[in-house]
Amino acid sequence: MRGGAFRYEFLQAYRRRSELVNPVVFFVMVCAMFPLALGSNAQLLAPLASGIVWVAAVLATILSLDQMFRQDFDDGILEQMELSEVPFYQIVAFKILAHWCLTGLPLVILSPLLAMMLYMPSESYLSLIVGLLIGTPILSLIGAIGAALTVKIRRGNIVLALLVMPLYVPILIFGSTAPLMAAEGTVPAAQLLWLGAILVLMATLAPITAALSLRANIYGS
Amino acid sequence: MNWTWFHKWGSPKWFFQKTEALVLWFGFLCLILLVVGTVWGLAFAPEDIKQGNSFRIFYIHVPSAILAQSIFMAMAISAVVGLVWRMKLAHIFVQVAAPIGASITLLALVTGAIWGKPTWGTWWVWDARLTSTLIQFFIYLGIISLYQSIENRDTAYKATAIACLVGIVNLPIIKFSVNWWKTLHQPATFKLTEAPSMAAEMWVPGLIMLVGFYLFFAFAVLVRMRSEVLEREKRTAWVREYLEKKNVL
């Protein structure tokens, strides 16, 4: 059942291929907006690059969160999953993992390309990628709580964004300053370790909290 | 230990009857304290050597900033009580306190901006404390909008309580990260120009205002909770009896 939930997510995603690409396209487009608004000056863009990529990643994740549970909640599959003998939080954890694989991971893979387009200094690449690799799962985990809380709200998208965005602040700060530190020649160990610590905390708490929130929505009549 | 006193507060009727006198007391006391504190602070407290009269906004700014944080704490504790003991009143408290908390936080931000203009020269600085207060304000707004957009009341109560707890777990991380981000970006440009030891005639009105603010919160929360209880329990006999006694029906 655990693996089944995971496979089910991928099958669903494969059947809605075009939706799958949307957050990635959005991510690239937002990144492309910044040079258009700020000017294409390399000196100006280089120090901003990591911030731009991170903000775009956060926005793209927020855009994709609403679909994490909604469809399954609406057609009752989620209720059936809750009733199965597997602990519900484990199924939720697998759903979050699948969400990250399908939206977070593509962003990480694309980020070097965008960093290059924004003239990011070459010393910063590694810390940007590692930071995103640790940070985007946190975005999915915290976002899952928000998505679970708003699953019953029609057009819950905006409420979800309002709820989740303040909670993304630490990840944004640690993630976007790591490449800046690397550009100055220091190893951004503190930032990445903090991201790691938050990831461990959220990986422990978020699936349980999201499961609790989904239950409140399923049984709240 | 005997827990009946605790469980009695779970009954809306008990709560409504017991708080009837309390509301008036809180209201009068907070009115007296706020008037005394304001007049003392604005007219009689000595001027600050460095900041002159502009420091007097301290008497509104500091109590509101302290209260704004306490309200969040109270909401989180109440959320736990609501989720664990399924106490409706605790959920009502969370829902009723959130808008008050948001407005007090906004008051702290606005008075801070007004204070910042003469002392720092700008309305807004990305100072660590200002930034984390701003984010706390956003969290309040998120919780309020979550409550308002869920139609089913019980689900809304539960969801708000969970959001509160998620917020309180994240708040220290947010504060820490903002502090840390501050020191990384601009090393110590602004320091609050508070003297470490204030003269007694300066801080006493501040303390009065602080207590007044807390009492105001207690008063406002009780008034709102009582009206919420009346609305929720409007079909019960005791509410009808109460309204008949008041000659409303």
Side-chain angles (χ1 to χ4, degrees):
Chain A
M1 184 66 202
R2 291 172 187 86
F6 197 58
R7 207 168 55 235
Y8 164 80
E9 289 298 315
F10 276 89
L11 198 62
Q12 287 286 310
Y14 179 74
R15 287 178 184 151
R16 289 178 271 144
R17 274 169 299 238
S18 59
E19 263 177 56
L20 195 64
V21 193
N22 287 346
V24 180
V25 176
F26 180 81
F27 176 61
V28 176
M29 276 183 169
V30 169
C31 282
M33 288 288 141
F34 279 89
L36 296 176
L38 300 172
S40 60
N41 185 347
Q43 251 108 45
L44 176 79
L45 285 175
L48 299 178
S50 67
I52 294 172
V53 172
W54 263 97
V55 168
V58 164
L59 292 179
T61 308
I62 287 176
L63 197 71
S64 69
L65 286 176
D66 195 50
Q67 282 306 314
M68 200 191 276
F69 301 116
R70 186 172 294 276
Q71 201 128 29
D72 291 342
F73 180 82
D74 285 346
D75 54 22
I77 289 177
L78 213 59
E79 198 173 339
Q80 293 306 313
M81 286 175 165
E82 207 278 323
L83 289 171
S84 79
E85 75 273 25
V86 181
F88 191 41
Y89 76 91
Q90 292 183 7
I91 297 176
V92 172
F94 274 105
K95 283 181 90 74
I96 298 169
L97 184 64
H99 176 266
W100 177 71
C101 289
L102 294 167
T103 57
L105 200 56
L107 303 187
V108 181
I109 295 167
L110 262 180
S111 62
L113 182 72
L114 292 162
M116 193 190 69
M117 285 165 72
L118 295 167
Y119 309 111
M120 182 185 263
S122 56
E123 308 86 63
S124 303
Y125 275 79
L126 188 62
S127 53
L128 177 77
I129 296 166
V130 173
L132 279 169
L133 210 53
I134 311 173
T136 45
I138 311 177
L139 299 182
S140 293
L141 285 161
I142 297 180
I145 302 174
L149 287 172
T150 55
V151 74
K152 225 180 189 176
I153 306 171
R154 300 284 133 217
R155 284 188 277 277
N157 239 331
I158 185 74
V159 181
L160 173 58
L162 289 180
L163 201 62
V164 152
M165 226 184 296
L167 305 178
Y168 281 172
V169 167
I171 300 123
L172 194 66
I173 289 175
F174 291 126
S176 62
T177 47
L180 295 179
M181 293 286 277
E184 285 169 12
T186 39
V187 182
Q191 284 92 332
L192 298 178
L193 286 172
W194 264 102
L195 280 179
I198 300 174
L199 176 61
V200 171
L201 178 74
M202 285 306 158
T204 331
L205 295 181
I208 298 170
T209 317
L212 189 70
S213 318
L214 284 173
R215 273 212 193 98
N217 275 309
I218 291 172
Y219 296 116
S221 69
Chain B
M1 200 178 155
N2 191 357
W3 282 93
T4 38
W5 62 270
F6 181 70
H7 292 294
K8 270 183 185 160
W9 285 101
S11 144
K13 184 184 169 190
W14 172 273
F15 168 82
F16 194 83
Q17 287 166 349
K18 288 290 153 186
T19 52
E20 190 143 25
L22 217 56
V23 172
L24 284 177
W25 273 108
F26 281 152
F28 276 125
L29 267 176
C30 98
L31 195 66
I32 293 166
L33 285 177
L34 288 180
V35 168
V36 169
T38 312
V39 173
W40 191 351
L42 293 189
F44 296 106
E47 256 182 47
D48 186 83
I49 306 168
K50 285 190 203 131
Q51 302 178 23
N53 274 321
S54 74
F55 105 96
R56 289 183 198 280
I57 203 164
F58 166 92
Y59 295 115
I60 298 170
H61 177 69
V62 172
S64 57
I66 294 174
L67 181 61
Q69 297 203 346
S70 310
I71 295 176
F72 206 95
M73 231 18 221
M75 280 167 62
I77 293 168
S78 201
V80 172
V81 173
L83 285 176
V84 174
W85 286 282
R86 293 168 188 255
M87 209 180 251
K88 283 269 160 57
L89 278 172
H91 285 313
I92 293 177
F93 174 86
V94 173
Q95 178 256 314
V96 146
I100 305 174
S103 28
I104 297 282
T105 314
L106 187 64
L107 182 68
L109 282 171
V110 170
T111 50
I114 295 170
W115 197 6
K117 185 68 186 163
T119 43
W120 295 342
T122 55
W123 295 104
W124 181 258
V125 200
W126 289 95
D127 166 84
R129 267 201 266 182
L130 270 73
T131 313
S132 47
T133 310
L134 182 70
I135 292 162
Q136 190 184 316
F137 179 59
F138 290 157
I139 295 180
Y140 270 124
L141 292 187
I143 290 172
I144 295 169
S145 75
L146 178 68
Y147 175 78
Q148 288 181 342
S149 43
I150 300 180
E151 279 160 29
N152 181 283
R153 203 183 256 166
D154 288 331
T155 313
Y157 282 151
K158 251 189 197 164
T160 327
I162 294 170
C164 249
L165 291 183
V166 174
I168 204 87
V169 167
N170 273 282
L171 214 55
I173 305 175
I174 292 171
K175 290 217 160 134
F176 173 81
S177 70
V178 168
N179 253 323
W180 190 84
W181 160 76
K182 234 345 258 182
T183 47
L184 193 79
H185 275 257
Q186 304 166 313
T189 34
F190 290 107
K191 275 262 188 305
L192 282 176
T193 48
E194 274 173 344
S197 57
M198 268 179 135
E201 52 280 21
M202 275 165 107
W203 65 256
V204 167
L207 192 66
I208 294 176
M209 286 299 275
L210 182 64
V211 177
F213 264 70
Y214 272 94
L215 284 174
F216 167 74
F217 171 67
F219 168 72
V221 154
L222 280 185
V223 169
R224 299 199 62 198
M225 277 178 84
R226 283 165 59 82
S227 60
E228 187 81 16
V229 164
L230 269 193
E231 211 229 300
R232 281 190 60 113
E233 309 279 311
K234 63 187 167 206
R235 285 179 220 290
T236 59
W238 70 266
V239 170
R240 204 161 300 148
E241 227 169 79
Y242 170 80
L243 293 178
E244 267 164 19
K245 217 165 60 192
K246 291 258 167 186
N247 285 325
V248 187
L249 278 185

